Amino acid sequence: MQILARFFMSIMLPLVGASALAQSNVPYKLRHGDALMVSVWRDEALRMEVRVLPDGSITFPLAGRIDVLGLSTAEAETRIAEKLKKYIPEAVVTVAITAAEGNRVFVIGKVVNPGAVVITSPDTTVLQMLSQVGGLDRFADGNAIRVLRNTEQGTQVLPVRYNDLVKGSQLETNVVLKPGDTILVP
């Protein structure tokens, strides 16, 4: 039995490690509401915190309006440097994310602490989020929870069967959340 366990671990650990490494190499893409610290090397006047606006842009001195929605920080640095080129030909721009406020999920209804919650992991599930808001209150209908997700085709309604989930069944209803989702707990 112990030999079998060691064999299994020797096969699975490298696979799990490779999977985790592959996921960590994917750069974060900027979203609406994210706060950024943008600075130009050797120019204190060009160091400021900006927020990604609802239209997906930021405004920066000399560069004006710059679309950054969906870009990585490295891509945003390049785009800002290009806009600054006519004033500062060899600008070295740094973009740092100071708050990932664009990764919010909204939890409303019969939970202990309803409100907006920032997702800190790309694989956060409904159960994990409900745990973060303190769980359901005693009057909640656990098997009638819905996740509302806006898509290009319209609003998608995803059922969540909380009471069944905590019993170990209906696991497919433990939805992986996306930024902008709303969890409705009746």
Side-chain angles (χ1 to χ4, degrees):
M1 182 73 158
Q2 195 172 27
I3 294 170
L4 184 59
R6 268 192 247 151
F7 173 75
F8 179 74
M9 294 302 279
S10 69
I11 298 293
M12 293 308 290
L13 280 178
L15 294 176
V16 170
S19 173
L21 182 62
Q23 288 177 356
S24 67
N25 287 336
V26 176
Y28 177 80
K29 300 295 185 179
L30 298 175
R31 298 182 178 280
H32 307 98
D34 287 347
L36 312 172
M37 178 57 70
V38 181
S39 59
V40 177
W41 187 57
R42 292 190 176 186
D43 194 336
E44 280 302 312
L46 293 177
R47 175 182 166 80
M48 65 185 304
E49 188 164 16
V50 296
R51 188 166 298 276
V52 180
L53 298 173
D55 70 355
S57 71
I58 61 170
T59 304
F60 194 71
L62 300 178
R65 184 183 166 282
I66 306 153
D67 291 319
V68 297
L69 184 68
L71 300 180
S72 68
T73 54
E75 293 166 333
E77 290 168 353
T78 301
R79 189 165 286 179
I80 295 167
E82 281 296 316
K83 289 272 202 159
L84 290 172
K85 200 173 243 175
K86 72 178 176 178
Y87 302 105
I88 307 170
E90 304 211 7
V92 177
V93 177
T94 302
V95 174
I97 300 168
T98 57
E101 298 295 321
N103 271 345
R104 291 186 200 198
V105 167
F106 303 90
V107 185
I108 59 174
K110 296 177 181 169
V111 294
V112 175
N113 296 307
V117 182
V118 175
I119 298 176
T120 56
S121 169
D123 56 356
T124 301
T125 65
V126 172
L127 281 182
Q128 292 166 333
M129 186 57 61
L130 291 173
S131 172
Q132 287 183 10
V133 297
L136 307 183
D137 79 10
R138 63 183 182 185
F139 299 109
D141 184 354
N143 277 347
I145 297 172
R146 301 286 181 258
V147 173
L148 307 177
R149 178 172 294 160
N150 291 324
T151 66
E152 291 179 8
Q153 293 78 28
T155 302
Q156 184 179 14
V157 179
L158 307 168
V160 177
R161 300 196 48 87
Y162 179 86
N163 297 340
D164 294 337
L165 280 170
V166 297
K167 293 177 185 172
S169 63
Q170 300 292 316
L171 299 179
E172 67 278 0
T173 69
N174 191 18
V175 176
V176 174
L177 298 170
K178 294 184 178 183
D181 282 354
T182 299
I183 301 172
L184 175 60
V185 182

